[in-house]
Amino acid sequence: MDAATLDLVTALAARLRARGAMMASAESCTGGLIAAACTELSGSSDWFERGFVTYSNAAKTDSLGVPAALIAAHGAVSEPVARAMAAGAVAHSAARCALAVTGVAGPTGGSADKPVGTVWFGWCTPAGVASEHRRFDGDRAAVRAQAVRHALAGLLQRLD
């Protein structure tokens, strides 16, 4: 884990511990990298409840309760799906907050509407559900690493 990601995880851990809260992750294009970053920190069981790796559309529906009709209407890489993934992670866990990531990490899979590097984020906290879109440059590893950092930073910001 790079220093920037470690700093984010450490700050997020402190914030969640201070609140006595647990978090969950719902990941598609990051494939569990967020959960791995969180659990790399010793004592993470105090604040990291679980990670969902829902790479397929069926997994998003089965594990997180994302309606199949929502995916069919908007595509897996979309704001409504990212929001539903984040809310679903809270609903299907003991966590009080969650982050979700769905995107096109590349090098294949991009389209004119959703080019490689397109990532949608969702965050669910007691204050509600928020979402954001980013487009990252670089190869698959770079897109995924940037998505991990942005997802963690977004949750940390929303816990302020």
Side-chain angles (χ1 to χ4, degrees), residues 21 49 73 125:
E49 206 271 335
T125 67

Side-chain angles (χ1 to χ4, degrees), residues 19-34:
R19 287 173 166 70
M22 301 285 277
M23 70 162 281
S25 64
E27 303 180 63
S28 187
C29 68
T30 50
L33 293 174
I34 294 168

Side-chain angles (χ1 to χ4, degrees), residues 1 3-4 8 12 17-18 28-29 31 35 48 54 65-66 85 87 89 99 107-108 110 128 136 146 158 160:
M1 178 167 32
L8 287 167
L12 186 57
R17 280 187 180 119
S28 187
C29 68
F48 186 82
T54 56
V66 177
M85 288 171 66
L99 55 82
T108 61
F136 299 116
Q146 291 170 88
R158 284 158 180 85
D160 281 339

Side-chain angles (χ1 to χ4, degrees), residues 5-128:
T5 305
L6 178 60
D7 288 347
L8 287 167
V9 170
T10 301
L12 186 57
R15 187 84 33 86
L16 288 164
R17 280 187 180 119
R19 287 173 166 70
M22 301 285 277
M23 70 162 281
S25 64
E27 303 180 63
S28 187
C29 68
T30 50
L33 293 174
I34 294 168
C38 290
T39 58
E40 192 165 320
L41 196 64
S42 180
S44 57
S45 60
D46 292 347
W47 55 273
F48 186 82
E49 206 271 335
R50 73 179 69 190
F52 298 90
V53 178
T54 56
Y55 209 72
S56 71
N57 292 346
K60 289 172 182 64
T61 299
D62 295 345
S63 297
L64 299 170
V66 177
L70 192 70
I71 297 170
H74 301 280
V77 180
S78 65
E79 180 178 21
V81 170
R83 293 174 69 88
M85 288 171 66
V90 168
H92 292 88
S93 72
R96 287 185 22 213
C97 58
L99 55 82
V101 179
T102 182
V104 184
T108 61
S111 67
D113 290 342
K114 298 174 186 177
V116 170
T118 300
V119 182
W120 274 100
F121 299 87
W123 297 277
C124 184
T125 67

